[in-house]
Amino acid sequence: MVRFINRPKLRIEFAKTDTDLIDRLRSSEWLHGTQYALPAWLWNTPPSEGDPSRIPEWRLDELRDGNKFNPVTPSERRYIRNKAVIRQIYAEQREKGPERIKPYSFAPTESVANEAPVAAAADDDDDLVIVGSRPVVGPRLPQTITTIPTPACSNTQHLRGSSTLAGDGAAPLVLQRETNKNEISASTTIATPRKQRRTPVSGPASESPLFEPPSFRPKAASEVTSRKTPRKKSKQPNLNAQAASFLPAIGAQRPAEVQRAAEVQRAAEVQRAAEVQRAAELQRAAEFQRAAELQAGALRPFYQRIEQDFHLITNLQQQNAELADRLQQHNTALVRSVDGVQGDIISRLEQDKSDLYRTLELEISLKQETAAALRSVQKTHAAHLNDTARGTKRKALPESPMKMGDETNGNEDHDTSGHLHHLANKIGKDLDHCAANESIQRCGLAPLRIIASRPDEVLALAYDKLNTFQFSKVPSHWRRLYEDASLHKAAQLLREHAATSKAVVDHGGKRRKVDAGALVENWVSDVVAVLDKGLHLSGAPGRKAVFDAVFQQLENLVDTQDTGIPETFRIHRPGKLQTNFPVRRTERFMDLEDFQVWLHEFSAPLIIPGALKQWSATQLWHDPRYLLGLTLGGRRLVPVEIGKSYTEENWGQRIMPLRDFMRLYLLPDNPAEVGYLAQHDLFAQIPALRADVTVPDYCYTTPPDTDAAARKTAGLAAVKQLDEPLLNAWLGPKGTKTPLHTDPYHNIFCQVVGYKYIRLYPPSETPKLYPRGVDEKGVNEENTSQVDVYHFRARSLGSSTDMDAATEMARKYPLFQEAVYQEAILAPGECLYVPLGWWHYVESLSTSFSVSFWWN
């Protein structure tokens, strides 16, 4: 039989949790009216939960005696924690004044202040509750000893300081003893279960009690009286002699197996307590781990953001410090060099002034030469008329002395030679002056010393340097060197031709017929080739105006007509496109305001008819002879892509005269190979063509913000804000293709001559279009798809499709056919708006001439 403390809810030290402990302290009379503070360690140490009321009394005695015994079970640790809190509060209150608080006793049946005394009463269950062995201080309790009926073969333990005076079927027996008014020995109080006390004892068992001495008469409970007796050191109950005589006999009759069972039961209880403790610790560890995982998972984004912000702030601080240092250095240098800057500004103004004077002198000189030539023509024409009137036969005169025909006389050749010498000298004078933002001196003195006398060697040196870097990364001084060397070479050729033509005419002091056409073709082609290569390879970073002036003078000296070229391109109108996914098309011309509304509401591709009505190009560019006339008879060099698409293996590039491009690729019905003048700034090379087109007003609208998919367009991060739209020309025969790709600009694509098929995909379909990566040469082709749309377009557009190639393409790129697209045929005079980031495939259905305008 295990003894437990009775009525634990009224004791502070039997709190089960920290919250329960705080509530018991708050409602306790022991601390009523007292201001106290809980120990700080109560919050800093792991909480402990348990039920101290379930600790056996013998274990409570051991734990109450001091620090000799360590707690084992959670309930014992809970009890020690409660006792430590009570003692610390009591010690702190005692320091403030002994009269502030009454002592608190940890005796199992002692009560303090507000707690009621612990009586020898039964709990709510049917277990027998036996109070411990310490004295009770508090209100009077019934001083009775009740005998408990037990079976004859009872396993009742012989508890320390207690008496079991009942046998099988014995009636309740109340013994009288002498007790103090306020004291009763807990070991002499034995309570029976509540149900047994309520059941009257009857039957044969009541007729044979455990003992019935003849001289001993049990009294009723109402007859028991209490006396004041001093507390005795002995823990034996104060019984009369007859009652006491039974105690040894009961202990002697206790079987050894009962004691062993008690020990086994105690060991089992300790083992169960240890298992409960281990299970509680494992559960607590698991809860801590789950809490840590939850905390880490929920707070990880915040910690990452804090770390990113910390690094950002650190970088900003470093940048701020660097900017402050650079600003200080800049201010210091600015103060020191203000005089030098003023001198440079003055020198530049003087240089611009002298350049302006030289330009005016050149224009005046040209006007005077033209006027003299016109007067000479008039005089010669008048003489010709007089001779005709007299019947004298003379040679037919050329149309103009500035142009060279089939035959010229000696005077005319001398005039041409003079013009060439003058043009060469003009180039030399322009090269004597520094260009804006000059950097050519970085190439070293050696090439600059020989550039005028040995331009071929300098051209070879500069060409090697240009091929060392990517074009966008070529240092500006090497581009300037190639540019100036090209102009020096052109001037050298002009002087050589002038000397050669003069020597041929004056040979032997006699005038003779010369093949002027062959001479013109040779030297003009050589000069144009040198100048155009200089433009293409260097980009003309400093001398663009000089190049344009030389080409303009050459147009006045040569004949640009070519009688072997037809008057118009042959254009075949394609059939109507049958599609379920057409590009939106307006019914009429759209003005600027309507287009701006379209951008903000839809921002999708749109075909606008009638947008090119004001362009003279729609009437003039159908004539190939017109294009040759603006390019020195087609002698100007242009870059031509050889092959249907730049994604094919046999694709390449050539630089050739425009007339050769027309004769080989544009004019034949079935050329041997496909040539395409694609994405070339032809208008910067030939300014006269620029006058035939007008930048659409749509390029000056404000595009809407791009969505997340469009912001991932390849190359968009490196694009700078444009001040003016970028113009590109696209001239090619039927069958030329621009593979499926994206551009980092908004695009107004204008169709001037011929027809083109166009298919478009929104940026959201990018994963299904299989973009390329970086090729083996290191060229980034992320803006180009691996899929050849030619194998998937409508068969009605003509040309045979390789079914094996189409099947292989569909197997290799299975998601492509699931991508959403739009398609249309663009006719002459129409323009197409292509939003930024939209993928588009373009194929020429006839000889075609188009212009694109990029803007952002």
Side-chain angles (χ1 to χ4, degrees):
M1 184 180 304
V2 183
R3 301 181 185 183
F4 297 102
I5 191 66
N6 188 28
R7 303 172 68 185
K9 296 182 180 180
L10 304 179
R11 305 290 297 181
I12 300 175
E13 65 270 25
F14 290 109
K16 298 180 180 179
T17 61
D18 288 344
T19 304
D20 188 16
L21 175 63
I22 295 171
D23 293 338
R24 295 192 185 202
L25 289 172
R26 187 183 299 112
S27 61
S28 173
E29 285 292 335
W30 178 57
L31 295 174
H32 181 68
T34 304
Q35 295 183 354
Y36 62 93
L38 294 173
W41 56 263
L42 187 63
W43 317 111
N44 300 330
T45 58
S48 176
E49 297 183 3
D51 188 1
S53 65
R54 306 305 299 172
I55 302 175
E57 184 201 357
W58 61 269
R59 184 59 178 168
L60 279 176
D61 290 340
E62 292 177 351
L63 297 175
R64 198 180 301 113
D65 288 342
N67 298 326
K68 297 180 182 180
F69 302 95
N70 294 325
V72 177
T73 65
S75 299
E76 294 177 359
R77 285 196 294 272
R78 181 71 254 177
Y79 178 79
I80 295 299
R81 186 181 181 91
N82 297 340
K83 186 173 71 171
V85 172
I86 296 171
R87 286 182 175 177
Q88 184 166 343
I89 294 175
Y90 177 73
E92 292 177 355
Q93 297 298 323
R94 290 283 296 176
E95 291 178 359
K96 297 179 182 179
E99 70 283 353
R100 294 176 59 89
I101 192 169
K102 296 179 181 181
Y104 187 90
S105 175
F106 292 95
T109 57
E110 289 181 357
S111 64
V112 296
N114 193 37
E115 283 78 16
V118 180
D123 205 348
D124 292 338
D125 54 11
D126 294 338
D127 294 339
L128 181 64
V129 179
I130 303 177
V131 185
S133 61
R134 304 240 177 142
V136 176
V137 180
R140 185 186 303 274
L141 297 177
Q143 296 86 17
T144 60
I145 298 177
T146 305
T147 60
I148 305 173
T150 56
C153 55
S154 173
N155 291 333
T156 305
Q157 300 179 11
H158 177 66
L159 303 179
R160 177 171 52 87
S162 64
S163 301
T164 304
L165 306 177
D168 187 13
L173 177 65
V174 179
L175 301 181
Q176 181 180 4
R177 76 179 185 91
E178 295 182 358
T179 58
N180 193 338
K181 179 175 62 176
N182 296 323
E183 259 181 54
I184 185 169
S185 176
S187 62
T188 62
T189 304
I190 302 176
T192 60
R194 187 172 301 168
K195 293 181 181 180
Q196 286 187 354
R197 290 201 307 269
R198 292 180 180 177
T199 305
V201 180
S202 61
S206 62
E207 298 176 358
S208 57
L210 180 64
F211 61 90
E212 188 177 358
S215 60
F216 182 78
R217 183 181 63 86
K219 295 183 179 181
S222 61
E223 298 178 2
V224 178
T225 60
S226 62
R227 301 177 183 175
K228 283 187 178 180
T229 57
R231 181 179 298 178
K232 296 181 181 180
K233 295 182 180 179
S234 175
K235 294 185 179 180
Q236 293 294 333
N238 189 13
L239 303 176
N240 53 33
Q242 288 181 334
S245 63
F246 287 95
L247 297 178
I250 296 173
Q253 294 176 358
R254 185 174 179 179
E257 55 270 15
V258 174
Q259 295 181 357
R260 287 194 298 271
E263 294 175 357
V264 171
Q265 182 178 2
R266 181 178 302 180
E269 291 177 355
V270 173
Q271 183 178 0
R272 284 196 298 273
E275 293 177 354
V276 171
Q277 178 184 1
R278 286 194 298 271
E281 291 176 353
L282 292 176
Q283 182 178 3
R284 189 180 298 107
E287 291 177 353
F288 284 156
Q289 184 177 359
R290 287 196 298 271
E293 293 176 354
L294 179 60
Q295 182 179 10
L299 299 180
R300 184 180 294 110
F302 299 98
Y303 290 148
Q304 292 177 352
R305 180 58 183 272
I306 291 173
E307 184 177 359
Q308 293 175 0
D309 293 344
F310 174 76
H311 290 309
L312 178 61
I313 292 172
T314 303
N315 294 334
L316 290 176
Q317 291 176 349
Q318 294 177 356
Q319 294 177 5
N320 190 18
E322 293 175 359
L323 289 175
D325 295 340
R326 292 172 60 183
L327 181 61
Q328 183 66 27
Q329 296 174 2
H330 178 72
N331 292 336
T332 304
L334 184 62
V335 171
R336 292 177 181 177
S337 61
V338 62
D339 295 335
V341 172
Q342 292 178 352
D344 292 340
I345 293 175
I346 294 174
S347 62
R348 286 185 181 181
L349 291 176
E350 292 293 337
Q351 180 179 348
D352 294 341
K353 183 178 179 182
S354 61
D355 292 342
L356 179 60
Y357 285 151
R358 284 195 300 272
T359 303
L360 293 175
E361 291 175 358
L362 178 60
E363 292 181 356
I364 293 173
S365 175
L366 292 176
K367 289 181 180 180
Q368 291 175 353
E369 292 175 358
T370 303
L374 289 176
R375 287 194 297 271
S376 176
V377 169
Q378 291 175 357
K379 290 180 181 180
T380 306
H381 186 61
H384 176 69
L385 292 177
N386 293 332
D387 293 339
T388 302
R390 298 189 188 99
T392 304
K393 294 183 179 180
R394 298 179 61 90
K395 282 196 271 185
L397 297 177
E399 296 180 359
S400 171
M402 299 289 291
K403 297 184 179 180
M404 304 180 65
D406 295 333
E407 294 182 355
T408 58
N409 54 30
N411 293 331
E412 293 165 354
D413 285 327
H414 281 293
D415 292 340
T416 302
S417 177
H419 283 305
L420 297 181
H421 270 295
H422 178 76
L423 182 57
N425 293 334
K426 177 64 173 62
I427 294 174
K429 289 180 181 180
D430 290 337
L431 291 174
D432 290 338
H433 299 283
C434 295
N437 301 321
E438 188 58 273
S439 61
I440 195 173
Q441 64 275 5
R442 297 179 184 176
C443 298
L445 294 177
L448 296 180
R449 288 175 179 175
I450 66 173
I451 191 170
S453 58
R454 296 150 61 185
D456 291 324
E457 298 179 15
V458 178
L459 282 173
L461 172 64
Y463 184 78
D464 292 339
K465 297 296 182 181
L466 293 179
N467 290 328
T468 304
F469 307 90
Q470 293 183 2
F471 182 78
S472 59
K473 298 181 180 180
V474 175
S476 60
H477 55 277
W478 294 116
R479 295 167 57 194
R480 282 282 300 111
L481 183 65
Y482 194 90
E483 181 185 30
D484 279 10
S486 300
L487 290 171
H488 279 291
K489 179 62 177 177
Q492 186 184 66
L493 292 175
L494 290 172
R495 293 189 183 97
E496 291 176 356
H497 173 68
T500 301
S501 62
K502 183 178 179 181
V504 170
V505 174
D506 294 340
H507 181 69
K510 297 180 180 179
R511 290 188 294 177
R512 52 183 292 190
K513 281 188 178 183
V514 297
D515 189 358
L519 291 176
V520 170
E521 180 63 32
N522 291 335
W523 72 265
V524 172
S525 298
D526 293 342
V527 172
V528 170
V530 170
L531 293 176
D532 272 331
K533 286 183 179 179
L535 276 176
H536 292 315
L537 297 180
S538 70
R543 308 285 190 187
K544 181 63 168 59
V546 180
F547 281 91
D548 292 340
V550 174
F551 283 122
Q552 185 176 3
Q553 291 298 319
L554 291 177
E555 288 179 0
N556 296 328
L557 295 176
V558 299
D559 186 7
T560 59
Q561 298 298 324
D562 192 337
T563 57
I565 300 297
E567 296 181 356
T568 182
F569 292 112
R570 286 189 291 272
I571 306 297
H572 300 285
R573 185 184 182 92
K576 186 177 180 180
L577 178 65
Q578 302 295 333
T579 179
N580 295 326
F581 311 103
V583 180
R584 289 284 299 274
R585 184 187 300 266
T586 61
E587 298 295 335
R588 56 179 179 81
F589 172 74
M590 179 179 286
D591 57 18
L592 181 64
E593 183 177 356
D594 293 338
F595 184 74
Q596 184 70 64
V597 173
W598 171 268
L599 287 181
H600 285 280
E601 289 186 357
F602 302 100
S603 186
L606 179 67
I607 296 177
I608 306 174
L612 313 182
K613 289 182 178 180
Q614 305 301 324
W615 287 18
S616 58
T618 57
Q619 303 297 328
L620 299 175
W621 290 5
H622 287 81
D623 185 0
R625 294 182 301 179
Y626 173 78
L627 300 177
L628 295 177
L630 296 181
T631 56
L632 291 174
R635 297 180 179 89
R636 298 295 301 272
L637 301 184
V638 291
V640 178
E641 297 180 359
I642 307 301
K644 292 185 177 181
S645 172
Y646 64 79
T647 57
E648 297 182 355
E649 295 182 358
N650 58 351
W651 179 86
Q653 283 184 310
R654 299 176 192 169
I655 294 179
M656 63 178 62
L658 181 63
R659 63 184 177 185
D660 293 347
F661 169 66
M662 285 189 177
R663 288 172 178 172
L664 292 176
Y665 303 109
L666 285 183
L667 298 178
D669 292 334
N670 297 308
E673 55 186 357
V674 177
Y676 195 14
L677 195 158
Q679 196 173 337
H680 175 55
D681 192 0
L682 189 63
F683 306 102
Q685 183 184 2
I686 307 172
L689 279 176
R690 177 67 176 79
D692 295 338
V693 300
T694 303
V695 177
D697 293 340
Y698 308 138
C699 297
Y700 299 101
T701 55
T702 302
D705 294 335
T706 56
D707 57 12
R711 283 194 292 270
K712 297 179 181 179
T713 301
L716 182 60
V719 170
K720 298 181 180 179
Q721 187 67 31
L722 298 177
D723 296 329
E724 291 292 332
L726 295 178
L727 278 70
N728 286 309
W730 310 78
L731 176 61
K734 176 182 178 180
T736 57
K737 298 185 300 182
T738 300
L740 189 63
H741 70 287
T742 61
D743 296 318
Y745 300 96
H746 295 269
N747 184 7
I748 297 294
F749 189 81
C750 301
Q751 187 66 19
V752 183
V753 178
Y755 297 85
K756 281 188 174 180
Y757 167 76
I758 297 179
R759 179 181 282 201
L760 302 105
Y761 293 83
S764 59
E765 300 294 321
T766 299
K768 302 177 183 178
L769 305 181
Y770 302 92
R772 295 173 179 265
V774 180
D775 64 4
E776 63 277 1
K777 298 180 181 179
V779 179
N780 191 343
E781 296 182 345
E782 293 179 345
N783 70 324
T784 305
S785 172
Q786 303 180 52
V787 184
D788 188 357
V789 181
Y790 177 81
H791 298 296
F792 298 93
R793 64 175 179 76
R795 302 287 180 84
S796 60
L797 297 176
S799 298
S800 59
T801 301
D802 188 350
M803 297 304 300
D804 294 337
T807 303
E808 177 63 20
M809 195 75 64
R811 184 196 64 80
K812 192 174 181 180
Y813 310 110
L815 298 179
F816 177 74
Q817 292 181 321
E818 300 177 5
V820 178
Y821 66 90
Q822 302 176 23
E823 58 183 351
I825 293 179
L826 203 61
E830 297 179 340
C831 70
L832 168 68
Y833 166 61
V834 182
L836 184 150
W838 276 67
W839 295 78
H840 49 286
Y841 165 84
V842 184
E843 180 182 346
S844 297
L845 303 180
S846 66
T847 301
S848 173
F849 202 161
S850 311
V851 183
S852 62
F853 297 86
W854 287 352
W855 93 97
N856 54 15

